[in-house]
């Protein structure tokens, strides 16, 4: 799903999630404002969620599915 994002958006997600950096730190590294990082991150999470839901919807027995063979809530 990450490959569906623009390069700068992937960088924002990677720096925030995998490196644990703050919006201010990510902004300084990427030359963005704190608000731009916050907005990009929020949009990325929405895009990633939709993409993962879409890709797992067709996967029978997916761990995200509550259908036969999937995980139960």
């Amino acid at each position: 799903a990450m490959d569906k994002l623009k390069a700068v958006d992937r960088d924002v997600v990677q720096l925030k999630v995998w490196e644990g950096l703050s919006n201010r730190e990510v902004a300084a590294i990427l030359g963005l404002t704190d608000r731009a990082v916050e907005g990009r991150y929020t949009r990325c999470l929405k895009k990633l969620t939709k993409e993962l839901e879409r890709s797992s919807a067709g996967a029978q027995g997916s761990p995200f599915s509550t259908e036969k063979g999937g995980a139960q809530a």
Side-chain angles (χ1 to χ4, degrees):
M2 288 286 285
D3 61 333
K4 304 278 185 185
L5 300 176
K6 294 178 184 176
V8 68
D9 292 339
R10 279 193 307 271
D11 292 343
V12 167
V13 172
Q14 290 172 344
L15 291 170
K16 285 191 60 67
V17 175
W18 294 329
E19 300 297 328
L21 300 181
S22 69
N23 287 351
R24 180 169 288 174
E25 292 167 321
V26 173
I29 291 168
L30 299 179
L32 301 169
T33 65
D34 294 2
R35 289 188 66 160
V37 170
E38 183 179 348
R40 285 181 178 276
Y41 184 65
T42 300
R43 283 190 301 276
C44 287
L45 291 181
K46 288 179 184 177
K47 285 181 186 178
L48 290 171
T49 299
K50 284 183 182 180
E51 181 62 27
L52 291 172
E53 287 173 348
R54 186 187 68 74
S55 64
S56 68
Q60 194 162 3
S62 165
F64 301 108
S65 173
T66 57
E67 300 298 319
K68 287 188 226 176
Q72 298 297 315

